Amino acid sequence: MRETPDIGAMFGGGDVTTFMGLPAATVEEARGSAAVLGAGTATPYASVGAYCRGGPAAIRAGAAPYAANLAHIDFDLGGGIFPDGRVSAVDCGDVEIDEADAAGNRERIRAATAALLERGLVPVVLGGDDSVPIPVLEAYAGRGPLTILQIDAHIDWRDQVQGEPLGLSSTMRRASEMAHVGQIVQVGQRAIGSARIGDRDDAVAAGVQLVSARELAAGGVAPVLELIPRDAEIFIAFDADALDPSTMPAVIGPAPGGLTYLQAVELLTGAAERGRIAGFDLVEFVAERDQGGLGALTAARLVTVVLGLIARQA
């Protein structure tokens, strides 16, 4: 008997390298409704480096124990992960990352995302720091208007930090400048981040709808979903630190009062009811800060729910 038994050992999962045992495919070969793509970093700050580089591997490991369970009922989805029993997603592995070549990282991430979109798949990106969504969103050029639902403890509206305008603190400001991006809804802000009062004011002036974690706790998920236009093409940018650290310890700046896992699921499923999920990323997962694999499991569960929602809209 194993010294540390796990559910994968009981049900036959765990010995896989792709997300939840999904079929592996190159970007050029990918088929189905969605494709998982790892992106460890895009534009790291010199002071911290690629501190989320291990995120994609850790999130895949969090899903591995359930690889034999794709046909089982998922109660968060109310049925099987893939509703017709046919697995309709693939894992395209990781984009090559070079910490010394931020421009190359961005182009490789953008090109891989664009290739998946050209093949009719919905990109599901595993990060990686919060600079990753910039090249991912750039790949949607000409496919607008794109509504962004950002779920995050921070608003990411700095024009630059340490002289870098494409880093993790500037994601939503850069997104707002893209011609194909329409409405931006940002949910879950709390505590202190990189934003100054003027950055918040700039976001509001640009038409962004901000819903803080306190407002979400008081009013629930429904008013947030009403901010998403009906029948919208929705890109969901999910930062791990949006969740309470009791659920998601694997972040660089934990703060109390974050979303619960089930609040996050309600936001995801509600968004899918308002429109079509056109893309998803989960970023800022710091593998070295995880505790007992709890954060990796939580991240993997969110990705699984998203894959199921995408399969239902295909």
Side-chain angles (χ1 to χ4, degrees), residues 158-195:
R158 288 287 294 272
D159 188 51
Q160 59 82 23
V161 170
Q162 298 175 8
E164 177 54 69
L166 299 172
L168 61 96
S169 298
S170 305
T171 309
M172 288 298 108
R173 186 183 283 268
R174 297 289 85 84
S176 75
E177 297 165 350
M178 298 179 191
H180 54 282
V181 170
Q183 181 64 59
I184 299 177
V185 180
Q186 298 185 235
V187 185
Q189 309 89 41
R190 68 188 195 280
I192 299 173
S194 67

Side-chain angles (χ1 to χ4, degrees), residues 226-237:
E226 289 293 325
L227 300 174
I228 299 173
R230 282 284 185 189
D231 302 320
E233 292 284 300
I234 306 166
F235 186 93
I236 301 174

Side-chain angles (χ1 to χ4, degrees), residues 193-255:
S194 67
R196 289 85 51 97
I197 292 174
D199 300 317
R200 187 274 316 275
D201 293 346
D202 287 348
V204 173
V208 172
Q209 299 287 340
L210 296 174
V211 182
S212 71
R214 286 187 65 190
E215 290 171 319
L216 180 69
V221 168
V224 177
L225 298 174
E226 289 293 325
L227 300 174
I228 299 173
R230 282 284 185 189
D231 302 320
E233 292 284 300
I234 306 166
F235 186 93
I236 301 174
F238 198 112
D239 191 309
D241 65 21
L243 297 167
D244 193 84
S246 61
T247 301
M248 176 55 71
V251 300
I252 194 170

Side-chain angles (χ1 to χ4, degrees), residues 232-303:
E233 292 284 300
I234 306 166
F235 186 93
I236 301 174
F238 198 112
D239 191 309
D241 65 21
L243 297 167
D244 193 84
S246 61
T247 301
M248 176 55 71
V251 300
I252 194 170
L259 278 65
T260 68
Y261 167 76
L262 289 178
Q263 283 177 318
V265 169
E266 288 300 306
L267 283 170
L268 296 174
T269 56
E273 292 171 359
R274 294 287 293 185
R276 174 183 173 272
I277 297 177
F280 174 84
D281 67 51
L282 196 154
V283 299
E284 209 143 326
F285 187 93
V286 186
E288 294 79 7
R289 293 200 170 192
D290 205 358
Q291 297 179 17
L294 174 61
L297 171 61
T298 302
R301 283 297 310 144
L302 292 172
V303 173

Side-chain angles (χ1 to χ4, degrees), residues 17 23 53-54 69 91-92 112 129 136 163 177 190 200 219 242 245 256 263:
T17 57
R53 188 168 190 156
N69 306 146
D91 189 331
C92 293
D129 65 49
V136 171
E177 297 165 350
R190 68 188 195 280
R200 187 274 316 275
Q263 283 177 318

